[in-house]
Amino acid sequence: MEMVKSPGFVEILSSASRKIVWYYAKNLNNTAIYSDFLRPLMPELVNLLKTHVQKHAIKFNLKLEATYNRPNVPNSSENRAFKTIAVEIFPDSDIRTIIEIAYMKLTKEKDDYSGRGSGFALESIDGLLVAVYKYMPMGGSSYIELPAYIDRKRGTINPQNMDQECFKWAILTRHVAENLSDKYKYEVGRNYKKHEDKYDFEGISFPTPLSDIRKFEKNNNNVSINVYGLEKKFQIPKMPRNLKFKLSGQEALNQHKLICGAHKPILPEMPKEGECLEFEAWKKTQRHPIVIYADFETILMKTDEDKGDNTRVIHKHEAMSYGLIVKASENVPIELLAEYEIPAGPVIYRGSESKTDVASHFVETVTELSLKIEELLKTNKPIVFTDEDRQSQ
């Protein structure tokens, strides 16, 4: 980010269609406290996001970059970045509150890193990177004609509404379709509106994003919504969340055919009496490229606890500290580990009178590492053929 020479947020990069724009605020004053660096940027960040959201809905995320080192260890400086997930912003969103929450998440991630006992100390705060994405949420809107290959099957009702409440009219269709002729099934008017009180639409926005469907299901306990896409394979309908009974008879058969009809029948082969199942396909196994090795140290704490009539517990193991190391195979580039902030050296955490959460801290740390490793394993690196590789083919 050497190109940034002026204070505040500076646009540093954008995609060809400007669907993604990156801004960077460099720590030109060498502020050494995170809150003192972030807080003055708040008003400018609010205005920046407001400018984008006036054009269309957006998503944004923050990346707080810093440098850490091991005190008194030469050449130990390492870059660290604390990130937030992408968050949606709409024209009516409370942008300041959303940024406040993002700041708190950055601070928590920074505190968690500092508390892991890695031995690293803050050397400098480098800057704040903001990515702004054009957001086109999938959701219901107004009337759209059905594709001919669906419409000609005469198995659907597509309400012809002039407002943005397409989701509501689609829900009410089942009540309108019961007794009316085809003409009135499609035209939204009093025939639909008189059924509005049959469901609770409180908190549902129009046009309706997919995220509001779960909210609608919570408002209406006996309703389950299935959503299908036209450009991809149809999804298998999910069963209602609050079924209080099992399906039976023809209804159960129809549901079974719907879910299982597309698959070939199978016949499970059970072992003969006296035999044991044993895994034999070892040639099909693969070593996992990344493994976490960990160890705990505990302390015996005196206690006096009865366990039943004849047993008394006089000592109890309490976790005192832990250490872990992430071991990657040789074909995993070190640069890739650094990119996903996976530590290459030992991580040590020591408890104290004020930090008695050693076990839960270990679980949180390993969970966080596992998620980062999962993202790393999704990375596709191009295969580079050397002259020696080509000659051996």
Side-chain angles (χ1 to χ4, degrees):
M1 307 301 175
E2 296 299 326
M3 66 182 78
V4 179
K5 301 294 184 182
S6 57
F9 287 100
V10 177
E11 181 178 332
I12 59 171
L13 190 64
S14 66
S15 62
S17 58
R18 292 189 67 80
K19 288 186 177 180
I20 310 175
V21 185
W22 288 271
Y23 299 88
Y24 193 74
K26 193 171 183 179
N27 185 11
L28 297 174
N29 298 325
N30 295 320
T31 305
I33 300 175
Y34 281 104
S35 57
D36 291 347
F37 170 65
L38 292 173
R39 191 58 52 191
L41 294 174
M42 170 75 78
E44 186 179 353
L45 182 54
V46 171
N47 291 332
L48 176 66
L49 297 179
K50 277 184 178 178
T51 302
H52 278 276
V53 83
Q54 287 173 359
K55 304 172 186 175
H56 46 69
I58 62 172
K59 280 188 175 184
F60 86 102
N61 72 296
L62 304 177
K63 181 180 180 183
L64 182 58
E65 298 181 340
T67 302
Y68 281 75
N69 63 23
R70 294 182 186 271
N72 303 320
V73 179
N75 302 319
S76 62
S77 297
E78 293 186 7
N79 295 326
R80 288 287 181 268
F82 309 109
K83 308 171 191 174
T84 65
I85 62 172
V87 178
E88 302 93 339
I89 295 183
F90 301 94
D92 59 346
S93 296
D94 185 348
I95 297 178
R96 178 172 289 273
T97 299
I98 292 174
I99 296 174
E100 288 279 4
I101 294 172
Y103 274 12
M104 286 189 288
K105 290 180 178 179
L106 287 176
T107 303
K108 182 180 184 302
E109 190 173 342
K110 179 265 299 182
D111 291 341
D112 289 345
Y113 173 75
S114 300
R116 284 181 201 148
S118 62
F120 279 88
L122 177 64
E123 178 181 319
S124 65
I125 301 171
D126 300 327
L128 182 65
L129 180 69
V130 181
V132 182
Y133 312 84
K134 183 177 181 181
Y135 181 44
M136 301 294 290
M138 180 180 177
S141 182
S142 188
Y143 170 73
I144 300 174
E145 288 188 8
L146 286 173
Y149 72 92
I150 293 178
D151 191 37
R152 62 171 171 258
K153 293 181 179 179
R154 312 302 295 172
T156 57
I157 297 176
N158 188 16
Q160 299 178 6
N161 57 307
M162 301 299 293
D163 53 27
Q164 298 292 309
E165 300 184 2
C166 185
F167 173 75
K168 179 191 290 186
W169 310 130
I171 294 296
L172 299 178
T173 299
R174 66 175 294 247
H175 301 286
V176 176
E178 291 176 351
N179 302 311
L180 296 176
S181 64
D182 281 349
K183 176 181 178 182
Y184 294 101
K185 290 178 185 178
Y186 299 101
E187 296 179 359
V188 174
R190 185 177 177 278
N191 52 336
Y192 278 80
K193 294 180 179 179
K194 68 181 181 181
H195 297 290
E196 287 185 73
D197 60 351
K198 288 183 167 63
Y199 300 95
D200 182 359
F201 290 94
E202 184 179 355
I204 307 301
S205 55
F206 300 100
T208 306
L210 289 179
S211 56
D212 274 9
I213 290 178
R214 183 174 296 179
K215 189 185 303 181
F216 178 79
E217 291 179 327
K218 287 182 178 179
N219 291 349
N220 303 273
N221 289 330
N222 297 320
V223 177
S224 181
I225 306 298
N226 296 320
V227 180
Y228 299 87
L230 295 180
E231 296 180 0
K232 297 182 179 180
K233 293 181 179 179
F234 283 178
Q235 303 173 26
I236 297 175
K238 60 186 178 69
M239 295 294 292
R241 296 171 291 106
N242 297 315
L243 274 181
K244 297 180 180 179
F245 55 87
K246 292 183 178 180
L247 299 177
S248 61
Q250 186 63 41
E251 190 176 7
L253 178 61
N254 292 341
Q255 184 66 32
H256 174 69
K257 288 181 177 179
L258 186 63
I259 296 175
C260 302
H263 305 287
K264 294 180 180 180
I266 60 172
L267 178 64
E269 294 184 5
M270 303 301 292
K272 297 178 181 178
E273 186 174 354
E275 291 184 352
C276 293
L277 290 177
E278 182 179 357
F279 182 77
E280 298 176 347
W282 292 105
K283 63 181 180 180
K284 297 181 181 179
T285 61
Q286 295 183 12
R287 281 186 173 272
H288 200 283
I290 301 177
V291 180
I292 301 176
Y293 296 98
D295 185 34
F296 273 85
E297 292 296 332
T298 63
I299 187 170
L300 278 176
M301 301 294 292
K302 288 185 178 181
T303 184
D304 190 5
E305 182 181 352
D306 290 329
K307 289 284 188 179
D309 297 331
N310 303 314
T311 303
R312 172 170 291 182
V313 179
I314 60 174
H315 289 93
K316 187 177 181 181
H317 283 274
E318 292 284 353
M320 183 179 67
S321 64
Y322 72 81
L324 64 83
I325 186 168
V326 180
K327 181 64 177 176
S329 61
E330 294 180 354
N331 59 352
V332 177
I334 296 178
E335 298 79 12
L336 199 58
L337 294 174
E339 179 182 342
Y340 286 90
E341 301 172 13
I342 298 171
V347 175
I348 299 173
Y349 181 84
R350 297 181 178 90
S352 64
E353 291 184 0
S354 61
K355 296 191 293 185
T356 59
D357 59 339
V358 175
S360 59
H361 191 280
F362 170 77
V363 172
E364 292 173 1
T365 301
V366 172
T367 301
E368 182 182 349
L369 282 173
S370 300
L371 294 174
K372 291 179 178 179
I373 292 170
E374 181 183 8
E375 290 301 315
L376 181 150
L377 294 176
K378 295 177 183 177
T379 304
N380 291 319
K381 289 288 185 181
I383 298 175
V384 179
F385 276 95
T386 64
D387 293 337
E388 183 180 349
D389 292 328
R390 293 187 180 91
Q391 291 174 1
S392 63
Q393 285 186 322

